[in-house]
Amino acid sequence: MASVSLSSLCLTQNPISLSFSSIASDHLRFGSPTVEFGSVKKYRRDRAVVCRASSVVFRNLDADDFRHPLDKQNTLILRAIPGLNELGKILLGSVAEQVMLLENIGTSLLVSKDQLSGLHRLMVEAAEILNIDAPDLYVRQSPVPNAYTLAISGKKPFVVVHTSLVELLTREELQAVLAHELGHLKCDHGVWLTFANILTLGAYTIPGLGGMIAQSLEEQLFRWLRAAELTCDRAALLVAQDPKVVISVLMKLAGGCPSLADQLNVDAFLEQARSYDKASSSPVGWYIRNAQTRQLSHPLPVLRAREIDEWSRSQDYTTLLKHATQITGAKKVLTTPGR
């Protein structure tokens, strides 16, 4: 089966009709806006020797060990939809595969041991911690802070990170983002991420009942997408092993910029999340909250922050850490002059 996986870090709103770019905005346009490549210049000037960011690895980690309950529930619902897989095979062909593959490879910078080696090491370490093969990693110029994953059947999957996200985050936060994307691969989210785009787009082109089918699919698929993001935030925590690192990423995506980074407060952001829960606890607040989130592909940043804070204090997370394999290595990043 030809399958394409497309996932994104950033919150996007459900458009009237879906396209490939509805989940990872800006990544299928030929010719993206240019931004100052400050972070990559920094990697070019310096050779970063990145020591392991985690004290444990999960040698026998299974996706269901950290999968969010809502992800499990909504995946079962999707699998129960008659004909969903068959329709996806019809709508998704080799041409779409090649367009997505070549466009991403042709407009991005491949990270390797010899190119942005610090970023390469962050990816390799995150993959080792999650017990998954490391995909290729690309850096792409874009003013929109985002990261996304592409997996095509028979080909090695790859992750793309936008330059503005590299500039916005610390190395620990950036590794948490890479771990989030690895979570999609670990949990085999790819097929459903693709169907969220392809199936709905195809349904909208069918006269008569097509619009009704599309709307129904959109609601269910986007409900699943929001749940899948909660799972992948957990993957980020398994690598970072510090909830404040993951929450800081969400805070910066909500309203951060490089010039304000040193003024941001994770505890204040968590308090903001609690105030949102309180404000939406009334019947009217509950209705407004559902209306606010039902057309989003990602949960609101404050809700994601609250979820990861709660899971970091759960027995499930503690048990995973207890069964992990201890490793040695200082939690430092040493920088030496580059050539």
Side-chain angles (χ1 to χ4, degrees):
M1 168 186 170
S3 65
V4 180
S5 162
L6 206 57
S7 69
S8 168
L9 177 75
C10 293
L11 177 147
T12 58
Q13 189 167 10
N14 181 13
I16 295 177
S17 64
L18 292 178
S19 65
F20 287 113
S21 59
S22 66
I23 296 179
S25 60
D26 191 50
H27 70 268
L28 277 181
R29 293 205 301 239
F30 291 88
S32 56
T34 58
V35 297
E36 183 181 356
F37 217 137
S39 294
V40 172
K41 289 180 180 177
K42 180 176 180 181
Y43 281 107
R44 290 177 63 187
R45 289 197 303 267
D46 301 330
R47 291 181 61 193
V49 182
V50 184
C51 298
R52 196 173 301 278
S54 172
S55 60
V56 300
V57 295
F58 302 90
R59 298 297 187 197
N60 301 307
L61 184 68
D62 184 81
D64 285 338
D65 292 339
F66 63 92
R67 197 186 300 270
H68 195 281
L70 290 177
D71 185 0
K72 296 178 182 178
Q73 175 185 334
N74 284 283
T75 298
L76 291 174
I77 294 174
L78 283 181
R79 288 174 177 170
I81 298 177
L84 188 61
N85 283 336
E86 290 71 18
L87 183 56
K89 292 177 184 179
I90 295 173
L91 294 174
L92 182 58
S94 60
V95 174
E97 287 186 343
Q98 290 302 311
V99 169
M100 299 170 75
L101 178 65
L102 293 177
E103 199 278 334
N104 278 279
I105 292 178
T107 60
S108 306
L109 187 65
L110 176 62
V111 175
S112 68
K113 293 180 180 178
D114 301 317
Q115 181 76 277
L116 307 180
S117 59
L119 284 175
H120 177 263
R121 187 59 192 162
L122 291 179
M123 172 61 86
V124 170
E125 289 177 353
E128 181 181 358
I129 293 167
L130 293 175
N131 192 32
I132 185 175
D133 292 335
D136 286 335
L137 175 61
Y138 288 84
V139 175
R140 179 170 184 171
Q141 284 203 32
S142 174
V144 180
N146 199 10
Y148 56 91
T149 303
L150 182 68
I152 296 175
S153 60
K155 297 179 177 65
K156 188 176 183 180
F158 60 86
V159 172
V160 178
V161 177
H162 289 178
T163 52
S164 51
L165 190 66
V166 177
E167 294 174 344
L168 179 63
L169 304 179
T170 66
R171 278 180 172 84
E172 291 80 7
E173 292 165 353
L174 189 56
Q175 188 172 53
V177 168
L178 297 178
H180 176 101
E181 297 305 317
L182 288 172
H184 284 299
L185 296 175
K186 182 77 175 179
C187 296
D188 292 325
H189 285 159
V191 173
W192 304 116
L193 287 166
T194 303
F195 288 177
N197 289 279
I198 303 296
L199 292 180
T200 310
L201 177 62
Y204 269 115
T205 64
I206 301 173
L209 294 177
M212 295 177 61
I213 296 173
Q215 183 177 359
S216 176
L217 284 174
E218 280 182 355
E219 291 179 0
Q220 184 55 55
L221 286 166
F222 273 77
R223 190 179 299 116
W224 171 82
L225 280 170
R226 292 191 294 271
E229 291 303 311
L230 298 178
T231 291
C232 293
D233 286 343
R234 291 181 173 190
L237 178 59
L238 290 176
V239 170
Q241 288 162 35
D242 180 354
K244 287 193 173 183
V245 171
V246 182
I247 294 169
S248 181
V249 172
L250 300 170
M251 175 177 61
K252 289 180 177 181
L253 289 175
C257 65
S259 62
L260 297 177
D262 60 347
Q263 303 177 50
L264 297 175
N265 187 315
V266 168
D267 292 329
F269 188 62
L270 278 174
E271 185 58 36
Q272 179 181 334
R274 296 184 188 101
S275 67
Y276 181 86
D277 282 339
K278 183 177 180 180
S280 60
S281 61
S282 67
V284 174
W286 178 87
Y287 177 82
I288 295 174
R289 173 173 167 171
N290 283 347
Q292 184 181 23
T293 59
R294 67 181 298 180
Q295 291 187 329
L296 298 178
S297 63
H298 290 49
L300 296 174
V302 290
L303 299 181
R304 293 171 69 179
R306 184 253 292 155
E307 281 280 341
I308 207 63
D309 178 59
E310 291 180 354
W311 194 64
S312 71
R313 293 181 277 106
S314 71
Q315 185 61 46
D316 288 343
Y317 176 67
T318 302
T319 300
L320 280 175
L321 290 180
K322 287 181 179 178
H323 288 87
T325 302
Q326 295 288 332
I327 57 174
T328 59
K331 197 173 182 180
K332 296 180 180 178
V333 176
L334 306 177
T335 304
T336 59
R339 299 180 186 179

